[in-house]
Amino acid sequence: MASSSSKCRTYDVFLSFRGDTRRNLTDYLARTLENHGFYVFLDENNLTRGEPITPALKQAIKDSRLAAIIFSRAYAESRWCLEELVEILACKETMGLMVLPIFYDIDPNRVRHQTHDFDVAFQRHQERFSAERVLTWRNTLNAAAELAGEGFSATAGYEGRFVQQIVDEIARKLKNTYLTVAPNPVGIDSRVQEIGKYLDDGGLDDVRIIGIWGMGGLGKTTVAKAIFNEYQDKFAGRSFLANVREEKLVDSQNTLLYDVLRLRNIKVSRVDEGTEDIKRRLGNLRVLVIVDGVDSVKQLEALAIKRDSFGPGSRIIITTRDKHLLEILKADTICHLPAMNTEEALELLSWHAFSKNYPNNEYLKVSREVVDYCGGLPLALHVLGSHLFTRSTREWESALKKWKRSRPYPDIHQNLKISYDGIKDDDVKSMFLDISCFFIGMNKDYVMKILDPCDEDRRDQGATIGIRELHNQCLVTVDTVGNLMMHGLIRDTGREIVREKSPDIKGKRSRLWDHEDVIHVLKTRTSLEKLKILNLGYCNSLERSPNFSKIPNLERLILECCKNLQAIPNLPKNLEILEADECIALQEMPNFSKMSRMRELHLNHSPKLTEISGLHKSLNSMTRIHMEGCTNLNADFRKKILQGWCASGYGGLFLPGNEIPSWFMPVDPRVEIFVPQSFGCDLKALTVCIIYSSDDSQPAGSLCIRVANCTQNTEFLISPMRATVITTHENYLWLGHLSNNKLNVKGGDRIIFYAHFVGPTTTDDIHLRVQKIGINLEKEKLINEYALDCQSMPYSSECKEDGNLEAGHNDDSSHENQSLKRLSSDPSVERNAEEETDEIMQEGRTRGC
């Protein structure tokens, strides 16, 4: 009753006192309370003293939250004081008035039993007033003295300390009023108990920082308020700083100082001043501080949120949508607030929609649909439940259909959009919108490849940073198998951000996700000229690709996993990347002879494809061709592609295959090669062909090629590819160039060539195996100049000072268990080696290499 009735009280403290304390303790106490921000009633300033006690004074007592009774030696002499005391205790019983006895230079027992000075005073009262009245006063004094109070003797006669002790106790009593948590706090108690464990952890002197982290609308503030109500009376000072992201920093600082110290005369005007004031004034106090809605490091710094800013035993709680802030703060515990389960969500929705804890029977089905749509988000359940209050089931169904099809409810959208607005990096914002519109439930690595087609290392780094930030902001999660996931209402928020940029003209939106909108735009717009990326992947109903003549500037086309796609009759001439892996029904491809800008061709696992006309004429610009699993390619097409790639292509060519082409010099996986003197400085590249296979259908590993120049004491490590395996035990062919612009090999050099697969941890786990290797030493002008200039393989080099490069390969050779084959290691047979190599090279040229 005290907490509810106190909301409408006029005064914080009613001071009841005898005139003998007016100029000392009472005045000192009144001034100190006022300086701490309490509104104090003093009868000498507000009412005229008289007898009997006036109605105005009775009303002042009723209008107060707490009555402080200063018992002095002369207190009982005043009939006024005794009548006042009777009224105070009556209000305590009927209105919940808090009462604090203060024993100033007097033993509480004298008050309780009316002895010594009180006995003398009552002897006089018995002569003037009725026995009944005197008995009432005696009983009232006895009851008041029984209450817990403050005694002057406890401070050894120090009046200043005594006043501070009284003020602290009054502040504690008056501050112990509860924050409004929620009208229907469903599920709050269990969450408070769980987080409360971490508040109770640690020693009495430990300062602990606890983070409450979760997406917008999840109830972080509500839970924090409940924690504040539960624990506040255990601390000397406490403060709940609500929604600090919307407050000025100095305002938050002043609120913190005032809440804890209760001093009105402390007011800071500059942030740096406030930070120092907080550390100086609160550094020795045991406090509970809850900072709600943090979204910036500056807020934490301004409020001096760190362990050494507060006294031993303090507890600091931070609520935020950004996990990274809590990591920066080195919080002792980060509590991820869970969404409501189905039962909790249905109950909360029912309270707001039906004013009871369960829906009416006719509403049960649609209520469960609304609960499913809200995804356990208390904010959504509250807002939508209130919106649907008193509406018919038909109106419920209509509203739900609208929310699912188009715009989310505005109040929910604006709350969730705060997290998006808090992202500083435009690239990460764009990534969020892409995921919300297109990629939910798709593999993270695949999505990153689409969003950032740059080199793999850079893409991995950018993806890691971007996904981590979106995860920290509670916008995206990654499930246990690596798929990107997103709360349904967060998804709708992202899509609404896109829609509101162009609410009326669909064709001007940056992204289209609804198939009806896509069809509308494609039918009505003639400015597809600007379209550069088109993703038609996983369109299982697509049997023939559309006419691309209206999108001439298309650079990247994705047709991956279109299982029923049989024909791609035409492609834009400016196309650079075609991704059509796993198109198992594909048989027809367009003529590639004029596809002069094509860089990457991905046709992995298209077993019905037999050839691609003109492809061998467009290899000059190609960096990669993937045709693993294309098991029906005809021999003539294979020969043209292999010969053309030897002369023009760079990067990597991937085909099914068992044999090294005949124009290559077959070697072992680890071999020593003597470069003939006749090459001089004309060596252009080492062309390498590798046959590999795996005994595992999902291998993990990358090809690693080492080229050690024993003459120049240099060593290069090249990692040109990651393995692709369609079928276990099937053989695959990789063909690529190692540019001599990097290797700097000259005629007469002795080099060691070694190829094998490496994995992410140890080579013992690798299932991939190099089966065969072929090498060609290519002279100047044999390889296309453009191809080598654009060489993109990752080289890392190392200079060996000890001149013993062979020793460096012992560990690698143990894995492959291959002996070192020397084409020429003895100077006496140098000439024969040169002749042998020249013969092999000449044979390659004769065959068209």
Side-chain angles (χ1 to χ4, degrees):
M1 181 165 58
S3 61
S4 60
S5 61
S6 66
K7 295 177 183 177
C8 59
R9 302 292 176 86
T10 304
Y11 306 103
D12 292 313
V13 182
F14 179 96
L15 284 181
S16 176
F17 63 96
R18 184 72 170 101
D20 60 332
T21 66
R22 181 183 292 111
R23 295 179 181 274
N24 44 52
L25 179 69
T26 299
D27 182 67
Y28 191 3
L29 178 59
R31 299 291 83 77
T32 305
L33 286 169
E34 288 173 349
N35 287 336
H36 278 70
F38 295 109
Y39 190 16
V40 180
F41 177 83
L42 272 171
D43 61 341
E44 65 174 1
N45 293 329
N46 294 276
L47 298 174
T48 303
R49 233 183 224 285
E51 292 193 16
I53 184 172
T54 64
L57 184 61
K58 290 183 179 181
Q59 189 61 46
I61 295 172
K62 293 177 181 178
D63 287 342
S64 298
R65 299 170 62 195
L66 180 145
I69 309 163
I70 302 176
F71 289 118
S72 60
R73 292 180 180 180
Y75 186 88
E77 295 176 1
S78 169
R79 170 203 172 193
W80 179 278
C81 288
L82 295 174
E83 288 292 330
E84 204 171 70
L85 183 62
V86 171
E87 188 67 25
I88 287 171
L89 263 67
C91 287
K92 175 181 180 297
E93 296 302 321
T94 59
M95 300 182 64
L97 175 69
M98 290 183 281
V99 177
L100 177 67
I102 299 170
F103 302 98
Y104 180 52
D105 202 19
I106 188 171
D107 191 314
N109 284 324
R110 295 186 182 185
V111 180
R112 184 178 297 113
H113 302 298
Q114 296 95 51
T115 60
H116 295 78
D117 296 324
F118 275 59
D119 181 46
V120 173
F122 269 94
Q123 288 179 13
R124 294 174 183 169
H125 291 324
Q126 288 171 351
E127 296 174 357
R128 299 178 57 194
F129 304 106
S130 67
E132 181 181 0
R133 197 166 198 179
V134 171
L135 181 60
T136 299
W137 291 342
R138 284 185 179 275
N139 290 339
T140 302
L141 278 171
N142 181 270
E146 290 289 344
L147 299 174
E150 299 294 324
F152 188 43
S153 60
T155 59
Y158 288 94
E159 195 160 291
R161 296 180 186 178
F162 187 43
V163 169
Q164 188 59 55
Q165 180 175 303
I166 296 169
V167 171
D168 288 345
E169 181 61 18
I170 290 175
R172 189 188 71 80
K173 287 180 176 295
L174 294 181
K175 188 61 178 176
N176 193 18
T177 52
Y178 294 99
L179 299 173
T180 301
V181 175
N184 303 292
V186 179
I188 298 299
D189 287 346
S190 61
R191 289 159 175 79
V192 170
Q193 291 175 10
E194 182 63 27
I195 298 174
K197 297 175 184 177
Y198 303 109
L199 270 75
D200 296 331
D201 280 353
L204 294 176
D205 293 337
D206 291 345
V207 177
R208 295 186 62 79
I209 299 176
I210 294 98
I212 301 177
W213 170 59
M215 64 181 285
L218 203 55
K220 300 183 296 296
T221 301
T222 302
V223 171
K225 286 181 177 180
I227 291 172
F228 186 80
N229 290 343
E230 180 76 16
Y231 286 90
Q232 62 166 317
D233 61 346
K234 298 181 180 180
F235 296 85
R238 73 285 292 171
S239 178
F240 188 98
L241 301 174
N243 207 10
V244 295
R245 66 171 169 266
E246 296 183 3
E247 299 291 331
K248 294 181 179 178
L249 293 178
V250 290
D251 291 344
S252 296
Q253 290 173 328
N254 282 316
T255 300
L256 175 58
L257 289 167
Y258 173 75
D259 284 351
V260 175
L261 300 175
R262 305 295 293 179
L263 294 172
R264 275 185 176 172
N265 58 351
I266 297 180
K267 190 173 181 65
V268 299
S269 56
R270 300 193 316 274
V271 173
D272 55 350
E273 173 193 354
T275 304
E276 292 304 313
D277 245 17
I278 291 170
K279 292 190 287 189
R280 179 169 56 87
R281 293 178 180 272
L282 308 188
N284 293 318
L285 296 179
R286 185 175 184 270
V287 297
L288 171 64
V289 177
I290 297 182
V291 191
D292 173 56
V294 175
D295 66 356
S296 167
V297 173
K298 289 183 179 179
Q299 295 156 0
L300 299 173
E301 293 173 345
L303 294 167
I305 301 299
K306 51 184 181 179
R307 287 174 181 79
D308 56 4
S309 296
F310 305 96
S314 294
R315 295 291 183 267
I316 315 300
I317 298 176
I318 310 294
T319 77
T320 183
R321 303 182 185 195
D322 189 349
K323 185 180 181 182
H324 187 52
L325 293 177
L326 300 174
E327 293 170 340
I328 293 173
L329 195 58
K330 296 182 179 179
D332 295 284
T333 302
I334 298 177
C335 302
H336 186 201
L337 202 64
M340 284 186 153
N341 60 39
T342 303
E343 291 74 20
E344 292 173 333
L346 185 61
E347 181 181 351
L348 183 60
L349 177 73
S350 300
W351 279 116
H352 291 289
F354 309 108
S355 298
K356 58 182 184 178
N357 65 354
Y358 201 75
N360 299 330
N361 286 335
E362 65 270 25
Y363 285 88
L364 182 57
K365 181 177 181 294
V366 70
S367 293
R368 291 192 181 279
E369 291 176 356
V370 173
V371 164
D372 183 63
Y373 171 73
C374 292
L377 202 65
L379 169 70
L381 294 161
H382 181 171
V383 170
L384 299 186
S386 300
H387 175 76
L388 295 169
F389 182 71
T390 73
R391 299 181 187 268
S392 67
T393 54
R394 179 171 294 181
E395 288 175 301
W396 276 58
E397 291 167 352
S398 176
L400 183 59
K401 184 177 180 181
K402 175 184 175 182
W403 294 329
K404 287 182 176 180
R405 278 285 295 168
S406 56
R407 304 179 62 184
Y409 198 85
D411 290 351
I412 300 172
H413 171 69
Q414 291 302 324
N415 183 284
L416 298 181
K417 187 173 178 284
I418 292 172
S419 297
Y420 170 83
D421 292 335
I423 299 173
K424 301 298 188 294
D425 190 322
D426 289 340
D427 290 339
V428 179
K429 281 187 171 181
S430 180
M431 183 183 294
F432 165 72
L433 297 179
D434 287 334
I435 294 171
S436 64
C437 291
F438 307 121
F439 300 124
I440 297 172
M442 298 180 69
N443 180 265
K444 182 194 71 166
D445 294 335
Y446 173 75
V447 172
M448 292 307 103
K449 186 177 179 181
I450 295 175
L451 296 180
D452 189 356
C454 63
D455 66 88
E456 218 163 273
D457 291 337
R458 184 179 140 200
R459 179 172 65 239
D460 289 346
Q461 185 180 14
T464 300
I465 294 172
I467 292 298
R468 183 187 297 126
E469 181 166 356
L470 293 176
H471 177 264
N472 286 339
Q473 292 286 352
C474 297
L475 294 173
V476 168
T477 60
V478 181
D479 67 14
T480 54
V481 294
N483 295 327
L484 294 173
M485 307 302 293
M486 185 180 289
H487 191 283
L489 293 176
I490 293 288
R491 174 205 62 203
D492 292 348
T493 295
R495 293 179 176 181
E496 176 61 13
I497 290 170
V498 173
R499 191 204 68 83
E500 62 189 5
K501 295 289 185 181
S502 179
D504 300 320
I505 305 177
K506 297 176 181 178
K508 290 188 176 181
R509 295 176 190 169
S510 61
R511 298 159 179 85
L512 294 173
W513 58 91
D514 185 271
H515 70 278
E516 293 183 0
D517 292 345
V518 173
I519 293 172
H520 169 79
V521 171
L522 292 176
K523 284 183 176 180
T524 57
R525 292 198 67 184
T526 56
S527 47
L528 294 174
E529 294 89 0
K530 294 183 179 179
L531 184 63
K532 293 189 175 183
I533 300 176
L534 179 61
N535 187 347
L536 299 176
Y538 295 86
C539 293
N540 289 330
S541 298
L542 188 66
E543 296 182 357
R544 190 177 182 88
S545 67
N547 186 346
F548 296 105
S549 61
K550 292 185 179 180
I551 44 176
N553 292 311
L554 189 68
E555 295 178 357
R556 184 173 189 176
L557 175 61
I558 302 170
L559 296 169
E560 183 177 18
C561 289
C562 294
K563 301 293 186 181
N564 293 306
L565 179 65
Q566 299 175 28
I568 305 176
N570 62 77
L571 288 171
K573 297 299 184 291
N574 286 329
L575 192 68
E576 297 181 5
I577 300 174
L578 174 62
E579 297 182 47
D581 288 340
E582 303 293 331
C583 294
I584 57 177
L586 184 62
Q587 301 181 57
E588 179 186 338
M589 291 289 289
N591 192 297
F592 267 63
S593 59
K594 295 184 179 180
M595 301 293 291
S596 59
R597 299 190 62 181
M598 181 68 71
R599 292 191 294 111
E600 293 187 21
L601 179 61
H602 299 262
L603 292 170
N604 199 318
H605 201 198
S606 297
K608 293 187 177 181
L609 195 63
T610 58
E611 66 175 344
I612 302 176
S613 300
L615 179 60
H616 62 288
K617 298 180 180 180
S618 300
L619 299 180
N620 286 354
S621 61
M622 297 284 246
T623 64
R624 183 173 294 181
I625 295 179
H626 281 273
M627 299 185 73
E628 303 98 316
C630 297
T631 52
N632 285 311
L633 298 176
N634 64 53
D636 185 58
F637 171 76
R638 286 177 56 89
K639 182 177 179 180
K640 287 180 180 179
I641 295 302
L642 287 169
Q643 290 179 343
W645 197 265
C646 284
S648 302
Y650 67 102
L653 170 66
F654 302 81
L655 295 173
N658 298 312
E659 298 297 332
I660 298 292
S662 59
W663 55 88
F664 279 88
M665 174 175 61
V667 297
D668 289 333
R670 185 165 185 252
V671 66
E672 183 175 355
I673 301 172
F674 185 85
V675 181
Q677 291 286 358
S678 60
F679 272 74
C681 296
D682 295 337
L683 185 65
K684 199 67 175 179
L686 272 71
T687 303
V688 182
C689 183
I690 293 177
I691 305 296
Y692 67 94
S693 65
S694 172
D695 56 6
D696 187 346
S697 60
Q698 294 181 335
S702 297
L703 179 64
C704 177
I705 297 175
R706 292 179 182 269
V707 180
N709 192 319
C710 300
T711 304
Q712 300 183 33
N713 285 329
T714 60
E715 182 176 10
F716 287 86
L717 175 64
I718 307 106
S719 300
M721 59 164 280
R722 289 188 178 180
T724 302
V725 171
I726 306 299
T727 305
T728 308
H729 301 299
E730 187 174 88
N731 287 340
Y732 301 93
L733 177 150
W734 171 82
L735 194 154
H737 300 297
L738 309 184
S739 172
N740 201 36
N741 292 339
K742 301 283 187 179
L743 302 176
N744 197 30
V745 174
K746 299 179 176 60
D749 285 351
R750 185 164 58 95
I751 61 174
I752 295 175
F753 180 91
Y754 176 42
H756 67 124
F757 282 94
V758 295
T761 53
T762 65
T763 57
D764 294 337
D765 298 328
I766 300 303
H767 296 268
L768 291 156
R769 294 289 182 267
V770 173
Q771 304 292 348
K772 302 175 183 178
I773 295 180
I775 295 179
N776 265 350
L777 303 179
E778 311 288 5
K779 283 194 173 183
E780 192 164 6
K781 300 188 184 299
L782 191 60
I783 304 298
N784 180 271
E785 295 283 350
Y786 173 76
L788 291 176
D789 289 342
C790 297
Q791 176 62 252
S792 59
M793 291 185 189
Y795 288 77
S796 60
S797 62
E798 183 176 357
C799 229
K800 299 290 185 178
E801 299 296 334
D802 58 5
N804 189 13
L805 289 171
E806 291 92 340
H809 295 277
N810 289 339
D811 292 337
D812 294 331
S813 60
S814 63
H815 169 65
E816 294 293 336
N817 195 25
Q818 299 285 344
S819 60
L820 179 62
K821 178 178 180 181
R822 299 177 179 270
L823 295 186
S824 176
S825 60
D826 191 329
S828 63
V829 296
E830 179 177 320
R831 180 61 186 165
N832 291 336
E834 284 192 30
E835 291 174 352
E836 180 184 353
T837 305
D838 281 339
E839 289 173 1
I840 295 174
M841 297 302 297
Q842 182 60 42
E843 181 183 0
R845 294 190 194 95
T846 303
R847 294 175 182 269
C849 177

